[in-house]
Amino acid sequence: MSYATMWTYPWDVLDEGVEKVVGFLREEVGLDAISLTPVYHTYDQLRLHLPGPRLLSTYEDAVYFQPELACYRQTAIQPEVSPLARDRDPLAIISRQCRARGLKLTLWTIGMHNHLQARRHPDCALQGAFGDPYPGALCPANVQVREYIRALSVELTSRYEVDCIEYESLYYLGWGMFRNHAKVGVDLGRVGRLLLSLCFCPACRQRAAASGVDAGALQAQVQQWLERLFAGGVLGDGLEDFVVAAPLLTAYLQVRAATVTSLVAELRQAIKTPISFLYMGDYLNNGIDTAAIEKLVDQVEILCYGSDPVQARAQAEARRVQMAAPEQLLAGLSAFHPVADAQTLRQVIGAVHAAGVRRFSYYNYGMIPKKHFPWIREALDEVRRHG
Ligand SMILES: [Zn+2]
């Protein structure tokens, strides 16, 4: 049986009315669940549904619930509470309403993507080959980061009635998580981006050493490669060949992936709630070992955004064929631009359904024009008729 959720921001639910939005999504759109974010990065959102000011901006990554600080007594990183959650607990209010209306609740939880904490705790940030802390991302090898994510996950899943916790960016974020306008004067190519994505923080180096991998030697080599690129040379786009020809790099990538997998395993141990893992990267750039992760979690997600049903189906099939348990797969779908009419929306979900996927998540409540919601209902009704 098909299952549908929708990524949803708490500020949209609160401002439009909790009872109204939850009731609408359950009864009129016909969703089984919403995927609400209790932890989010910064954003500038054009709001489509409400009168008045239309651009909502936040300037710090924050949590959208009221944490009990005792849960973070052992963690160097402390949650930054959004002003939206100072006088009320958005998660408590919305989760109660979901329960009352029979709508399941997934907590869409951002992991490593956190400019604020990376700035406050530069020792917890990704650290490139030249020793620079990267501005937008925490390092999943860092013990303080791991303890914070674990404390957050335990609190969220024990204090609130939750059906699933969904992790976004629970891996190495790679190159390019900038805070400001990027000023990059060379074409890095796939190889350059990979080399710049590598973290050489003390925790990563320690993990490499424990696996018999000489991080210092690799770091020196990566610096040389990058110096050549920065001087005007070319490293090329033949990423897979480049990695195969560099055994130390290959070994470091294995350590990196094992670091991510071990974090997922720790969270699996720490919480009983079903876990969903959102893939937005890959093995080479992000340290995602899909086969290992799928053994630990209950669901994995890919994004089949776009308006081409053939492409969406191919994406879903390509992922399912790699999976030991393809029923674990959820497909993220866009319900707004470039999906511009009811037929396209129906065709895209139909194509993914024909590939065997039965779990869907639409992006994203506050960004979807009102006219599109009945289209989602029709599309969901259609796939549900087919199981
Ligand atoms: Zn690191």
Side-chain angles (χ1 to χ4, degrees):
M1 186 60 192
S2 295
Y3 162 92
T5 181
M6 183 176 284
W7 285 296
T8 304
Y9 295 135
W11 48 93
D12 286 327
V13 180
L14 291 173
D15 290 354
E16 293 184 36
V18 179
E19 281 187 42
K20 184 178 147 206
V21 174
V22 170
F24 172 74
L25 292 174
R26 177 75 186 121
E27 281 128 43
E28 298 196 34
V29 184
L31 297 177
D32 301 291
I34 58 168
S35 300
L36 186 81
T37 183
V39 180
Y40 209 58
H41 48 68
T42 57
Y43 60 88
D44 299 293
Q45 182 192 353
L46 180 66
R47 308 186 84 185
L48 305 183
H49 304 165
L50 287 166
R54 294 306 182 104
L55 183 65
L56 180 62
S57 300
T58 59
Y59 297 94
E60 300 299 359
D61 315 72
V63 303
Y64 292 84
F65 66 100
Q66 294 186 324
E68 278 179 1
L69 295 183
C71 299
Y72 305 89
R73 210 172 278 138
Q74 309 296 328
T75 65
I77 300 175
Q78 296 291 304
E80 171 74 11
V81 179
S82 160
L84 197 72
R86 297 230 170 103
D87 302 323
R88 58 186 166 174
D89 187 333
L91 183 51
I93 295 167
I94 299 170
S95 66
R96 268 198 302 273
Q97 188 60 215
C98 286
R99 207 50 59 186
R101 303 300 279 265
L103 197 63
K104 291 192 162 122
L105 181 63
T106 286
L107 294 186
W108 165 28
T109 305
I110 307 298
M112 301 300 141
H113 182 176
N114 196 318
H115 289 95
L116 175 75
Q117 301 292 2
R119 192 169 77 236
R120 271 189 193 155
H121 305 275
D123 54 322
C124 294
L126 291 181
Q127 211 175 90
F130 297 99
D132 352 65
Y134 286 176
L138 299 169
C139 178
N142 185 288
V143 171
Q144 295 299 338
V145 172
R146 292 164 83 94
E147 287 187 358
Y148 173 66
I149 297 290
R150 188 174 53 194
L152 189 68
S153 302
V154 168
E155 183 182 25
L156 284 170
T157 56
S158 58
R159 279 189 53 213
Y160 300 92
E161 275 201 70
V162 176
D163 299 286
C164 178
I165 185 160
E166 169 190 46
Y167 292 107
E168 176 179 328
S169 74
L170 196 70
Y171 42 77
Y172 287 84
L173 273 169
W175 170 251
M177 295 302 299
F178 300 123
R179 174 73 172 186
N180 306 312
H181 292 283
K183 303 288 179 183
V184 178
V186 288
D187 179 7
L188 297 167
R190 292 178 70 211
V191 174
R193 282 197 297 279
L194 170 73
L195 298 177
L196 283 166
S197 81
L198 297 172
C199 181
F200 290 97
C201 78
C204 283
R205 294 165 60 105
Q206 212 170 11
R207 280 182 171 266
S211 299
V213 177
D214 187 344
L218 178 64
Q219 187 171 2
Q221 174 67 72
V222 170
Q223 287 178 359
Q224 279 180 22
W225 280 322
L226 288 171
E227 294 286 12
R228 199 194 310 159
L229 180 67
F230 296 168
V234 177
L235 296 174
D237 272 341
L239 184 57
E240 287 75 13
D241 292 343
F242 187 93
V243 171
V244 169
L248 197 51
L249 174 59
T250 300
Y252 203 65
L253 292 174
Q254 286 165 356
V255 173
R256 187 164 75 154
T259 298
V260 172
T261 303
S262 69
L263 174 57
V264 178
E266 279 179 22
L267 295 171
R268 174 72 293 165
Q269 285 289 315
I271 59 174
K272 293 187 174 60
T273 307
I275 293 177
S276 188
F277 190 102
L278 174 53
Y279 294 149
M280 282 170 68
D282 59 22
Y283 176 81
L284 289 176
N285 283 293
N286 309 92
I288 298 173
D289 179 348
T290 52
I293 287 169
E294 284 161 21
K295 284 186 193 143
L296 294 166
V297 302
D298 302 275
Q299 178 175 279
V300 293
E301 308 175 17
I302 57 168
L303 300 181
C304 300
Y305 291 173
S307 57
D308 180 354
V310 175
Q311 195 186 349
R313 180 172 179 160
Q315 270 180 278
E317 284 174 343
R319 184 67 243 141
R320 273 174 59 89
V321 83
Q322 302 285 327
M323 297 176 69
E327 66 279 4
Q328 283 185 322
L329 185 63
L330 176 145
L333 305 171
S334 177
F336 52 85
H337 181 79
V339 178
D341 55 63
Q343 189 188 6
T344 308
L345 201 134
R346 211 165 49 237
Q347 285 172 343
V348 171
I349 193 172
V352 175
H353 184 274
V357 177
R358 295 293 178 271
R359 305 180 192 184
F360 308 99
S361 186
Y362 275 108
Y363 195 75
N364 153 325
Y365 174 72
M367 297 169 69
I368 299 173
K370 281 185 178 170
K371 198 167 93 175
H372 294 203
F373 288 106
W375 302 349
I376 297 172
R377 176 63 191 243
E378 287 163 27
L380 288 175
D381 285 349
E382 171 102 9
V383 293
R384 282 175 177 143
R385 273 197 289 278
H386 297 96

